[in-house]
């Protein structure tokens, strides 16, 4: 019996290093982990691969999926539809693959409502000073723009307590080990193991 | 602010490799992890160090600790008292140290009742055949004795579902990495981090 994968929601303020952490996690293309691939009706750009960067569908297909309640969430942006398919995620989880959803706190709340077993991970920068340094960029932005980014970051951060795990990204390698430990430990929870190891446990308990 | 340590209850049937795993975990004498040290009224044996192997106390001191509700559990065995001090454990946890309690399912239930935040980890052998092999020892025991050990193991195993995490000790190194991942991840839970990182988070959220 293959253990079902877990769904991880990963959120962070801009500047916390979330994308780098997820990239590092998936760098060696592990067979048991993947980011969720969204559906979209926009045209593929050069180099984009169907099923890898997006699931490219027609507007008719997308609307049929909406009708079918296939999406956790969907939105129309500049005339194109984008959505996160619950069905694709469920399928992937059932194949024993952990799925990572890179979304903000609003998306996280939505997913948690529909799938309470999803595991929320929040990435924080180590300090306000460091966050400001990371958001200042190459010194080309005005104080106003930087203040705006800081305010947006604080707004995202204010939802940290809604997550199951919190990683402080001070040292990148340590933060990556943290993330890996969380993922590995979630394969070992009683509920998961009782399902995955059912036959083995029955064998151990046999008279 | 130092993060409070976590209390881990580690249980397993005999033959699962629990003691070897705990020994390997503490081999390099990490400053942030230790097994719980029991109190006893028996005399120290040659080489035993007070505070390391046991807290050696007089019968009067032990009885005063009972009166003081200091113990999670205590027992009298062959005229000597043995007990697990909740107070010592609380103190150690408050110093930021993870504490490991190597106890059976009955002890685990007792501790969980008094300290629901304790994290239960159950170690399982990979199969009935392998468990039998491990319990057969050097081939010097009768079938009856081995059957008795198997029955006792099955009885302990029947409580696996009461634990938060289940590790299958098939490959020892992998099981050790599992245990380390669980320990590390439990330092990253929302509740723990909100306490440990309180000042930092306040700083991030400041206007």
């Amino acid at each position: 019996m293959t253990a079902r994968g877990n769904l991880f929601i990963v959120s962070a303020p801009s500047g916390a290093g979330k994308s780098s952490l997820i990239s590092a996690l998936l760098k060696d293309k592990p067979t048991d982990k993947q980011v969720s691939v969204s559906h979209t009706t926009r045209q593929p750009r050069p180099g984009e691969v169907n099923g890898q960067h997006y699931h490219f569908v027609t507007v008719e297909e997308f609307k049929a999926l909406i009708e079918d309640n296939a999406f956790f969430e969907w939105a129309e942006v500049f005339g194109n539809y984008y959505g996160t398919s619950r069905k694709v995620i469920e399928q992937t989880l059932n194949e024993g693959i952990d799925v990572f959803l890179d979304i903000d706190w609003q998306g996280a709340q939505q997913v948690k409502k529909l799938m309470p077993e999803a595991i929320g991970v929040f990435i924080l920068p180590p300090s306000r000073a460091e966050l400001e340094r990371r958001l200042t960029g190459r010194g080309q932005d005005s104080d106003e723009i930087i203040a705006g980014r800081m305010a947006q970051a604080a707004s995202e951060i204010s939802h940290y307590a809604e997550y199951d795990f919190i990683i402080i990204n001070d040292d990148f390698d340590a933060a990556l080990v943290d993330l890996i430990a969380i993922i590995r430990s979630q394969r070992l929870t009683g509920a998961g193991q009782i399902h995955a190891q059912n036959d083995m446990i029955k064998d151990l308990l046999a008279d």
Side-chain angles (χ1 to χ4, degrees), chain A residues 134-195:
Chain A
R134 293 182 192 173
L135 292 182
T136 301
R138 303 189 191 93
Q140 290 168 341
D141 300 313
S142 70
D143 288 356
E144 236 176 343
I145 285 179
I146 294 165
R149 285 186 195 145
M150 286 296 285
Q152 208 183 341
S155 153
E156 183 78 22
I157 290 171
S158 70
H159 292 275
Y160 71 96
E162 295 159 22
Y163 290 75
D164 300 295
F165 293 97
I166 299 173
I167 295 176
I168 316 291
N169 184 6
D170 186 2
D171 175 77
F172 183 83
D173 292 337
L176 183 58
V177 175
D178 282 347
L179 183 57
I180 291 169
I182 291 168
I183 295 162
R184 184 164 185 135
S185 73
Q186 292 304 300
R187 289 269 177 171
L188 303 168
T189 58
Q193 289 281 61
I194 288 164
H195 178 77

Side-chain angles (χ1 to χ4, degrees), chain A residues 2-8 34 36-37 39 55 69-72 84-101 111 113-118:
Chain A
T2 307
R4 186 175 146 93
N6 291 307
L7 178 61
F8 293 92
Q34 59 182 243
S36 161
V37 176
H39 281 67
H55 298 286
N69 274 319
F71 292 117
F72 269 133
T84 304
S85 166
R86 179 181 177 144
K87 290 207 169 167
V88 170
I89 288 175
E90 290 280 4
Q91 240 165 43
T92 313
L93 295 175
N94 285 335
E95 288 166 20
I97 298 168
D98 288 331
V99 177
F100 297 82
L101 270 177
V111 172
K113 201 157 43 179
L114 292 167
M115 218 193 231
E117 72 271 29

Side-chain angles (χ1 to χ4, degrees), chain A residues 113-134:
Chain A
K113 201 157 43 179
L114 292 167
M115 218 193 231
E117 72 271 29
I119 299 146
V121 179
F122 200 83
I123 321 276
L124 280 177
S127 69
R128 187 178 175 80
E130 174 62 16
L131 178 65
E132 198 155 353
R133 201 187 62 72
R134 293 182 192 173

